[in-house]
Amino acid sequence: MNANAIVQKLWRLCTVLRKDGITYQQYVTELTYLLFLKMMAERNRETGSLPKGLRWADLAAANGLAKLEHYRNVLVTLGTTSTRLGKDDALVRPPGENATPDERKRYADARPLPDMVQKIFDSAATIIREPQNLATLVSAIDELDWFSEERDQFGDLYEGLLQKNAEETKRGAGQYFTPRVLIDVMVRLMRPKPGEVIQDPAAGTGGFLIAADRDMKARTDGYFDLPDSGAWQKRNAFHGMENVAGTLRLLLMNLYLHDLENDHIDLGDTLSDKGKELGRADLILTNPPFGPAGGPPTRDDLSVTATVSSYQLPFVEHCIRALRPGGRAAIVVPDNVLFEDGRGRQLRQMMMDWCDLHTILRLPTGIFYAQGVKTNVIFLTRGKTETGNTKAVWIYDLRAQMPRFGKTTPLTAAHFEGFEQAFGKSPYGAERGPDEGEAGRWRKFTRADIATRGDNLDISWLREAEDEAEDGLTEPDDIAATILGHLQAATLEIEALMAELADEQPEAAE
């Protein structure tokens, strides 16, 4: 049974569990706990990581109500930071008030659970109410022939579940799920290298970090010839931050199944002071959240966007500041980042001064599950100085005269072939295909050209066919996503106008 067949089998079980009041999102989270326990057993990694009595075999052996009660105890115990491993991996709980000196010493000598175990099971709780439903899940997972799968396919299986979840819950899952075809294109063009620090400040389920690792393994024979057999690469190369605890759980599981560690993956708000802990990066790959942020950033180093109460502009400023000189980035942004006045214009000026903003890809509409907002990918390289780094910007329009993508018209790698050929093989934008003029999709605009437009980078020249594409939609989900996209786009423009008006208000006299 291959990975796709396993995904289909596990996903069909979700229908059974819906009777227990379990949503798709809850189902994938529940599978995260169970698959982690199963994979620890399959990979012989339980020793030194999980206490005896709380392992997969113990759960599989229990019956009826005892199985559900045992499972609840596993989740609570593994998610308690005070739980420790004693001699021979015996479970050691914190000593009570009446504990003997020997019991206190036993606890003091015990080891804490590995960081990944604690993070995955932090505040974990099952939403399964019926013992039979848990038994069905455990039996199905236990009966699968996991040993027929290659190591990377464990991760592919889990990503398949994440994608199924995103397809079924457009408005919820799409906030952290970026289409894999787009991720792969961005990674291929940025050509990550072993030894680089690669960062995603809005990590979601880890798609960019895992794709970067996969790309390096495919292109680099010496990937594991680094010091300590690539141990640094596994533990220190990938840095990320995710602000939603449930999504962080999925992220950590995804990394684990792709044989990556998580020393620099953390829960937190990148736009708070904790975001500074991400440090400097050689490469940033990210799809930051869009829309209202509930207030301006609380960091003191985001000077240009300090008063902006939406996500997209402050996240771009973070990326600019987090890049090392010579570092490069590929960032998904909504259209308003390219045209917004006031703080938006100041941010674009900063970006073109501090960085070589060499390429903009105008993305087709309808490719995100939750956002119908028009989006782009900006490709840039941080300069060694903070002035005059952008000489020209090349723009590829993959939006005009394209179908509206959705369930009925999926986005594929073939749609990006023309752009990849025009972009060239240099991740720094040093190789360019010829300017195709007004009749083509690929054009060059000098810094002077952009200045005459008031530093507005929302440049289009091909006739839009968006209205015709929308008229052809038939799937209710696609139609709803389109309507939502128009509303979100309008909201972003209103926010931009309000921010601009606020900037123009004179300060009150003291």
mmCIF file of all heavy atoms in Angstrom, residues 289-295 307-314 334 336-337 339-344 373 487-503:
data_model
loop_
_atom_site.group_PDB
_atom_site.id
_atom_site.type_symbol
_atom_site.label_atom_id
_atom_site.label_comp_id
_atom_site.label_asym_id
_atom_site.label_seq_id
_atom_site.Cartn_x
_atom_site.Cartn_y
_atom_site.Cartn_z
ATOM 1 N N PRO A 289 0.457 35.697 7.160
ATOM 2 C CA PRO A 289 -0.993 35.919 7.199
ATOM 3 C C PRO A 289 -1.344 37.289 6.630
ATOM 4 O O PRO A 289 -0.536 38.215 6.662
ATOM 5 C CB PRO A 289 -1.323 35.832 8.692
ATOM 6 C CG PRO A 289 -0.046 36.158 9.399
ATOM 7 C CD PRO A 289 1.048 35.635 8.523
ATOM 8 N N PHE A 290 -2.572 37.399 6.108
ATOM 9 C CA PHE A 290 -3.077 38.669 5.575
ATOM 10 C C PHE A 290 -4.201 39.163 6.475
ATOM 11 O O PHE A 290 -4.832 38.384 7.170
ATOM 12 C CB PHE A 290 -3.642 38.493 4.156
ATOM 13 C CG PHE A 290 -2.760 37.786 3.176
ATOM 14 C CD1 PHE A 290 -3.317 37.106 2.110
ATOM 15 C CD2 PHE A 290 -1.380 37.794 3.298
ATOM 16 C CE1 PHE A 290 -2.535 36.449 1.186
ATOM 17 C CE2 PHE A 290 -0.580 37.139 2.384
ATOM 18 C CZ PHE A 290 -1.163 36.463 1.319
ATOM 19 N N GLY A 291 -4.463 40.449 6.412
ATOM 20 C CA GLY A 291 -5.648 40.978 7.071
ATOM 21 C C GLY A 291 -5.374 41.632 8.407
ATOM 22 O O GLY A 291 -4.219 41.818 8.808
ATOM 23 N N PRO A 292 -6.450 41.999 9.143
ATOM 24 C CA PRO A 292 -6.315 42.715 10.421
ATOM 25 C C PRO A 292 -5.544 41.889 11.448
ATOM 26 O O PRO A 292 -5.745 40.692 11.577
ATOM 27 C CB PRO A 292 -7.769 42.924 10.864
ATOM 28 C CG PRO A 292 -8.587 42.750 9.637
ATOM 29 C CD PRO A 292 -7.863 41.777 8.773
ATOM 30 N N ALA A 293 -4.670 42.564 12.195
ATOM 31 C CA ALA A 293 -3.854 41.886 13.204
ATOM 32 C C ALA A 293 -4.327 42.184 14.620
ATOM 33 O O ALA A 293 -3.732 41.700 15.581
ATOM 34 C CB ALA A 293 -2.393 42.300 13.061
ATOM 35 N N GLY A 294 -5.371 42.991 14.767
ATOM 36 C CA GLY A 294 -5.865 43.304 16.100
ATOM 37 C C GLY A 294 -5.028 44.335 16.829
ATOM 38 O O GLY A 294 -5.155 44.494 18.038
ATOM 39 N N GLY A 295 -4.188 45.020 16.095
ATOM 40 C CA GLY A 295 -3.337 46.036 16.712
ATOM 41 C C GLY A 295 -1.977 46.056 16.041
ATOM 42 O O GLY A 295 -1.601 45.118 15.330
ATOM 43 N N THR A 307 3.043 51.378 13.362
ATOM 44 C CA THR A 307 1.659 51.752 13.666
ATOM 45 C C THR A 307 0.638 51.019 12.799
ATOM 46 O O THR A 307 -0.552 51.328 12.846
ATOM 47 C CB THR A 307 1.468 53.267 13.472
ATOM 48 O OG1 THR A 307 1.743 53.601 12.101
ATOM 49 C CG2 THR A 307 2.400 54.051 14.381
ATOM 50 N N VAL A 308 1.092 50.057 11.999
ATOM 51 C CA VAL A 308 0.208 49.354 11.071
ATOM 52 C C VAL A 308 -0.495 48.195 11.778
ATOM 53 O O VAL A 308 0.158 47.334 12.353
ATOM 54 C CB VAL A 308 0.999 48.826 9.858
ATOM 55 C CG1 VAL A 308 0.084 48.025 8.936
ATOM 56 C CG2 VAL A 308 1.630 49.986 9.098
ATOM 57 N N SER A 309 -1.822 48.164 11.732
ATOM 58 C CA SER A 309 -2.605 47.153 12.455
ATOM 59 C C SER A 309 -3.058 46.014 11.558
ATOM 60 O O SER A 309 -4.165 45.502 11.686
ATOM 61 C CB SER A 309 -3.815 47.815 13.117
ATOM 62 O OG SER A 309 -3.404 48.731 14.100
ATOM 63 N N SER A 310 -2.223 45.624 10.612
ATOM 64 C CA SER A 310 -2.488 44.451 9.786
ATOM 65 C C SER A 310 -1.211 43.623 9.718
ATOM 66 O O SER A 310 -0.134 44.097 10.068
ATOM 67 C CB SER A 310 -2.944 44.849 8.378
ATOM 68 O OG SER A 310 -1.938 45.595 7.727
ATOM 69 N N TYR A 311 -1.340 42.376 9.271
ATOM 70 C CA TYR A 311 -0.197 41.478 9.298
ATOM 71 C C TYR A 311 0.812 41.722 8.184
ATOM 72 O O TYR A 311 2.025 41.678 8.390
ATOM 73 C CB TYR A 311 -0.676 40.029 9.188
ATOM 74 C CG TYR A 311 -1.330 39.497 10.435
ATOM 75 C CD1 TYR A 311 -2.698 39.234 10.468
ATOM 76 C CD2 TYR A 311 -0.580 39.221 11.569
ATOM 77 C CE1 TYR A 311 -3.305 38.716 11.604
ATOM 78 C CE2 TYR A 311 -1.176 38.711 12.715
ATOM 79 C CZ TYR A 311 -2.535 38.460 12.720
ATOM 80 O OH TYR A 311 -3.134 37.951 13.850
ATOM 81 N N GLN A 312 0.322 41.950 6.957
ATOM 82 C CA GLN A 312 1.183 41.795 5.797
ATOM 83 C C GLN A 312 2.374 42.758 5.749
ATOM 84 O O GLN A 312 3.503 42.347 5.475
ATOM 85 C CB GLN A 312 0.367 41.882 4.501
ATOM 86 C CG GLN A 312 -0.486 43.118 4.337
ATOM 87 C CD GLN A 312 -1.875 42.956 4.915
ATOM 88 O OE1 GLN A 312 -2.122 42.096 5.756
ATOM 89 N NE2 GLN A 312 -2.801 43.785 4.480
ATOM 90 N N LEU A 313 2.163 44.044 6.031
ATOM 91 C CA LEU A 313 3.264 44.997 5.947
ATOM 92 C C LEU A 313 4.326 44.749 7.025
ATOM 93 O O LEU A 313 5.524 44.698 6.715
ATOM 94 C CB LEU A 313 2.739 46.435 6.028
ATOM 95 C CG LEU A 313 1.821 46.895 4.879
ATOM 96 C CD1 LEU A 313 1.399 48.344 5.098
ATOM 97 C CD2 LEU A 313 2.497 46.743 3.529
ATOM 98 N N PRO A 314 3.952 44.575 8.308
ATOM 99 C CA PRO A 314 4.980 44.301 9.316
ATOM 100 C C PRO A 314 5.754 43.004 9.056
ATOM 101 O O PRO A 314 6.956 42.938 9.329
ATOM 102 C CB PRO A 314 4.181 44.218 10.624
ATOM 103 C CG PRO A 314 2.966 45.055 10.379
ATOM 104 C CD PRO A 314 2.632 44.815 8.941
ATOM 105 N N PRO A 334 -0.223 39.982 -0.483
ATOM 106 C CA PRO A 334 -1.408 40.437 -1.214
ATOM 107 C C PRO A 334 -1.091 41.697 -2.011
ATOM 108 O O PRO A 334 -0.094 42.377 -1.760
ATOM 109 C CB PRO A 334 -2.416 40.722 -0.096
ATOM 110 C CG PRO A 334 -1.573 41.078 1.080
ATOM 111 C CD PRO A 334 -0.328 40.248 0.962
ATOM 112 N N ASN A 336 -2.158 44.672 -1.940
ATOM 113 C CA ASN A 336 -2.074 45.986 -1.305
ATOM 114 C C ASN A 336 -0.658 46.312 -0.828
ATOM 115 O O ASN A 336 -0.309 47.477 -0.661
ATOM 116 C CB ASN A 336 -3.077 46.107 -0.159
ATOM 117 C CG ASN A 336 -2.607 45.435 1.108
ATOM 118 O OD1 ASN A 336 -2.378 44.235 1.133
ATOM 119 N ND2 ASN A 336 -2.479 46.213 2.172
ATOM 120 N N VAL A 337 0.173 45.292 -0.623
ATOM 121 C CA VAL A 337 1.574 45.556 -0.276
ATOM 122 C C VAL A 337 2.273 46.269 -1.424
ATOM 123 O O VAL A 337 3.193 47.066 -1.212
ATOM 124 C CB VAL A 337 2.302 44.237 0.062
ATOM 125 C CG1 VAL A 337 3.800 44.439 0.220
ATOM 126 C CG2 VAL A 337 1.721 43.628 1.340
ATOM 127 N N PHE A 339 0.679 48.356 -3.675
ATOM 128 C CA PHE A 339 0.123 49.648 -4.076
ATOM 129 C C PHE A 339 -0.234 50.577 -2.916
ATOM 130 O O PHE A 339 -0.440 51.783 -3.124
ATOM 131 C CB PHE A 339 -1.127 49.458 -4.957
ATOM 132 C CG PHE A 339 -2.311 48.853 -4.261
ATOM 133 C CD1 PHE A 339 -3.068 49.587 -3.346
ATOM 134 C CD2 PHE A 339 -2.707 47.558 -4.542
ATOM 135 C CE1 PHE A 339 -4.170 49.031 -2.710
ATOM 136 C CE2 PHE A 339 -3.809 46.995 -3.912
ATOM 137 C CZ PHE A 339 -4.539 47.741 -2.989
ATOM 138 N N GLU A 340 -0.327 50.057 -1.692
ATOM 139 C CA GLU A 340 -0.793 50.884 -0.578
ATOM 140 C C GLU A 340 0.096 52.111 -0.402
ATOM 141 O O GLU A 340 1.331 52.032 -0.470
ATOM 142 C CB GLU A 340 -0.799 50.055 0.705
ATOM 143 C CG GLU A 340 -1.339 50.800 1.913
ATOM 144 C CD GLU A 340 -1.470 49.899 3.131
ATOM 145 O OE1 GLU A 340 -1.879 48.734 2.954
ATOM 146 O OE2 GLU A 340 -1.164 50.374 4.240
ATOM 147 N N ASP A 341 -0.533 53.258 -0.149
ATOM 148 C CA ASP A 341 0.212 54.499 0.057
ATOM 149 C C ASP A 341 0.594 54.610 1.525
ATOM 150 O O ASP A 341 0.396 53.697 2.312
ATOM 151 C CB ASP A 341 -0.633 55.699 -0.381
ATOM 152 C CG ASP A 341 0.221 56.819 -0.978
ATOM 153 O OD1 ASP A 341 1.446 56.836 -0.715
ATOM 154 O OD2 ASP A 341 -0.332 57.680 -1.684
ATOM 155 N N GLY A 342 1.145 55.750 1.921
ATOM 156 C CA GLY A 342 1.514 55.961 3.317
ATOM 157 C C GLY A 342 2.604 55.008 3.757
ATOM 158 O O GLY A 342 3.685 54.944 3.171
ATOM 159 N N ARG A 343 2.310 54.230 4.811
ATOM 160 C CA ARG A 343 3.295 53.282 5.325
ATOM 161 C C ARG A 343 3.671 52.227 4.288
ATOM 162 O O ARG A 343 4.814 51.748 4.252
ATOM 163 C CB ARG A 343 2.749 52.588 6.572
ATOM 164 C CG ARG A 343 2.509 53.529 7.739
ATOM 165 C CD ARG A 343 3.798 54.080 8.289
ATOM 166 N NE ARG A 343 3.565 54.984 9.412
ATOM 167 C CZ ARG A 343 4.516 55.600 10.089
ATOM 168 N NH1 ARG A 343 5.777 55.423 9.746
ATOM 169 N NH2 ARG A 343 4.220 56.407 11.094
ATOM 170 N N GLY A 344 2.716 51.857 3.437
ATOM 171 C CA GLY A 344 3.009 50.881 2.398
ATOM 172 C C GLY A 344 4.059 51.398 1.436
ATOM 173 O O GLY A 344 4.995 50.676 1.059
ATOM 174 N N VAL A 373 -8.034 36.677 -1.956
ATOM 175 C CA VAL A 373 -7.345 37.942 -2.197
ATOM 176 C C VAL A 373 -6.289 37.743 -3.273
ATOM 177 O O VAL A 373 -5.628 36.713 -3.325
ATOM 178 C CB VAL A 373 -6.685 38.440 -0.891
ATOM 179 C CG1 VAL A 373 -5.878 39.704 -1.128
ATOM 180 C CG2 VAL A 373 -7.761 38.685 0.161
ATOM 181 N N LEU A 487 -14.514 40.451 -0.802
ATOM 182 C CA LEU A 487 -14.748 41.144 0.467
ATOM 183 C C LEU A 487 -13.435 41.406 1.201
ATOM 184 O O LEU A 487 -13.217 42.489 1.754
ATOM 185 C CB LEU A 487 -15.687 40.312 1.341
ATOM 186 C CG LEU A 487 -17.138 40.190 0.863
ATOM 187 C CD1 LEU A 487 -17.894 39.194 1.736
ATOM 188 C CD2 LEU A 487 -17.825 41.554 0.893
ATOM 189 N N GLN A 488 -12.534 40.410 1.216
ATOM 190 C CA GLN A 488 -11.255 40.586 1.899
ATOM 191 C C GLN A 488 -10.402 41.641 1.199
ATOM 192 O O GLN A 488 -9.716 42.429 1.847
ATOM 193 C CB GLN A 488 -10.517 39.251 1.976
ATOM 194 C CG GLN A 488 -11.165 38.272 2.945
ATOM 195 C CD GLN A 488 -10.502 36.916 2.928
ATOM 196 O OE1 GLN A 488 -10.114 36.415 1.877
ATOM 197 N NE2 GLN A 488 -10.387 36.307 4.094
ATOM 198 N N ALA A 489 -10.429 41.629 -0.135
ATOM 199 C CA ALA A 489 -9.665 42.628 -0.877
ATOM 200 C C ALA A 489 -10.177 44.033 -0.568
ATOM 201 O O ALA A 489 -9.394 44.975 -0.373
ATOM 202 C CB ALA A 489 -9.744 42.350 -2.375
ATOM 203 N N ALA A 490 -11.507 44.178 -0.516
ATOM 204 C CA ALA A 490 -12.088 45.478 -0.186
ATOM 205 C C ALA A 490 -11.698 45.900 1.231
ATOM 206 O O ALA A 490 -11.388 47.072 1.487
ATOM 207 C CB ALA A 490 -13.609 45.425 -0.334
ATOM 208 N N THR A 491 -11.686 44.940 2.164
ATOM 209 C CA THR A 491 -11.300 45.238 3.545
ATOM 210 C C THR A 491 -9.860 45.737 3.610
ATOM 211 O O THR A 491 -9.557 46.701 4.320
ATOM 212 C CB THR A 491 -11.467 43.991 4.421
ATOM 213 O OG1 THR A 491 -12.837 43.589 4.389
ATOM 214 C CG2 THR A 491 -11.068 44.278 5.866
ATOM 215 N N LEU A 492 -8.968 45.074 2.870
ATOM 216 C CA LEU A 492 -7.563 45.488 2.861
ATOM 217 C C LEU A 492 -7.408 46.916 2.326
ATOM 218 O O LEU A 492 -6.633 47.711 2.844
ATOM 219 C CB LEU A 492 -6.732 44.525 2.018
ATOM 220 C CG LEU A 492 -6.525 43.113 2.584
ATOM 221 C CD1 LEU A 492 -5.775 42.250 1.586
ATOM 222 C CD2 LEU A 492 -5.764 43.178 3.901
ATOM 223 N N GLU A 493 -8.160 47.250 1.287
ATOM 224 C CA GLU A 493 -8.073 48.592 0.717
ATOM 225 C C GLU A 493 -8.620 49.637 1.691
ATOM 226 O O GLU A 493 -8.067 50.736 1.809
ATOM 227 C CB GLU A 493 -8.831 48.641 -0.617
ATOM 228 C CG GLU A 493 -8.165 47.808 -1.711
ATOM 229 C CD GLU A 493 -8.882 47.938 -3.046
ATOM 230 O OE1 GLU A 493 -9.608 48.933 -3.232
ATOM 231 O OE2 GLU A 493 -8.720 47.051 -3.891
ATOM 232 N N ILE A 494 -9.713 49.303 2.391
ATOM 233 C CA ILE A 494 -10.264 50.237 3.388
ATOM 234 C C ILE A 494 -9.264 50.453 4.514
ATOM 235 O O ILE A 494 -9.044 51.585 4.963
ATOM 236 C CB ILE A 494 -11.611 49.699 3.926
ATOM 237 C CG1 ILE A 494 -12.672 49.733 2.823
ATOM 238 C CG2 ILE A 494 -12.068 50.520 5.134
ATOM 239 C CD1 ILE A 494 -13.957 49.014 3.183
ATOM 240 N N GLU A 495 -8.637 49.364 4.969
ATOM 241 C CA GLU A 495 -7.623 49.486 6.030
ATOM 242 C C GLU A 495 -6.468 50.367 5.586
ATOM 243 O O GLU A 495 -5.948 51.187 6.346
ATOM 244 C CB GLU A 495 -7.102 48.106 6.415
ATOM 245 C CG GLU A 495 -8.107 47.251 7.157
ATOM 246 C CD GLU A 495 -7.610 45.836 7.318
ATOM 247 O OE1 GLU A 495 -6.512 45.529 6.836
ATOM 248 O OE2 GLU A 495 -8.328 45.037 7.930
ATOM 249 N N ALA A 496 -6.043 50.181 4.336
ATOM 250 C CA ALA A 496 -4.942 50.991 3.818
ATOM 251 C C ALA A 496 -5.320 52.470 3.801
ATOM 252 O O ALA A 496 -4.519 53.343 4.176
ATOM 253 C CB ALA A 496 -4.573 50.525 2.405
ATOM 254 N N LEU A 497 -6.569 52.765 3.386
ATOM 255 C CA LEU A 497 -7.023 54.154 3.346
ATOM 256 C C LEU A 497 -7.086 54.747 4.745
ATOM 257 O O LEU A 497 -6.653 55.879 4.981
ATOM 258 C CB LEU A 497 -8.399 54.223 2.668
ATOM 259 C CG LEU A 497 -9.056 55.613 2.610
ATOM 260 C CD1 LEU A 497 -8.168 56.584 1.834
ATOM 261 C CD2 LEU A 497 -10.438 55.524 1.976
ATOM 262 N N MET A 498 -7.610 53.966 5.698
ATOM 263 C CA MET A 498 -7.702 54.461 7.077
ATOM 264 C C MET A 498 -6.310 54.724 7.662
ATOM 265 O O MET A 498 -6.093 55.715 8.354
ATOM 266 C CB MET A 498 -8.456 53.448 7.941
ATOM 267 C CG MET A 498 -9.934 53.324 7.602
ATOM 268 S SD MET A 498 -10.780 52.057 8.583
ATOM 269 C CE MET A 498 -10.644 52.766 10.213
ATOM 270 N N ALA A 499 -5.355 53.832 7.368
ATOM 271 C CA ALA A 499 -3.989 54.022 7.867
ATOM 272 C C ALA A 499 -3.365 55.264 7.260
ATOM 273 O O ALA A 499 -2.676 56.037 7.933
ATOM 274 C CB ALA A 499 -3.143 52.792 7.553
ATOM 275 N N GLU A 500 -3.640 55.478 5.963
ATOM 276 C CA GLU A 500 -3.093 56.659 5.295
ATOM 277 C C GLU A 500 -3.674 57.940 5.884
ATOM 278 O O GLU A 500 -2.952 58.920 6.127
ATOM 279 C CB GLU A 500 -3.400 56.567 3.797
ATOM 280 C CG GLU A 500 -2.799 57.698 2.979
ATOM 281 C CD GLU A 500 -3.134 57.567 1.508
ATOM 282 O OE1 GLU A 500 -3.583 56.481 1.090
ATOM 283 O OE2 GLU A 500 -2.956 58.556 0.780
ATOM 284 N N LEU A 501 -4.985 57.937 6.130
ATOM 285 C CA LEU A 501 -5.624 59.120 6.716
ATOM 286 C C LEU A 501 -5.096 59.375 8.125
ATOM 287 O O LEU A 501 -4.882 60.521 8.526
ATOM 288 C CB LEU A 501 -7.142 58.928 6.742
ATOM 289 C CG LEU A 501 -7.831 58.910 5.366
ATOM 290 C CD1 LEU A 501 -9.310 58.564 5.522
ATOM 291 C CD2 LEU A 501 -7.665 60.264 4.669
ATOM 292 N N ALA A 502 -4.852 58.289 8.875
ATOM 293 C CA ALA A 502 -4.323 58.442 10.237
ATOM 294 C C ALA A 502 -2.940 59.056 10.217
ATOM 295 O O ALA A 502 -2.580 59.877 11.058
ATOM 296 C CB ALA A 502 -4.296 57.089 10.944
ATOM 297 N N ASP A 503 -2.119 58.656 9.239
ATOM 298 C CA ASP A 503 -0.771 59.215 9.127
ATOM 299 C C ASP A 503 -0.778 60.695 8.804
ATOM 300 O O ASP A 503 0.110 61.454 9.187
ATOM 301 C CB ASP A 503 0.017 58.475 8.044
ATOM 302 C CG ASP A 503 0.474 57.110 8.500
ATOM 303 O OD1 ASP A 503 0.471 56.883 9.728
ATOM 304 O OD2 ASP A 503 0.836 56.264 7.650
#
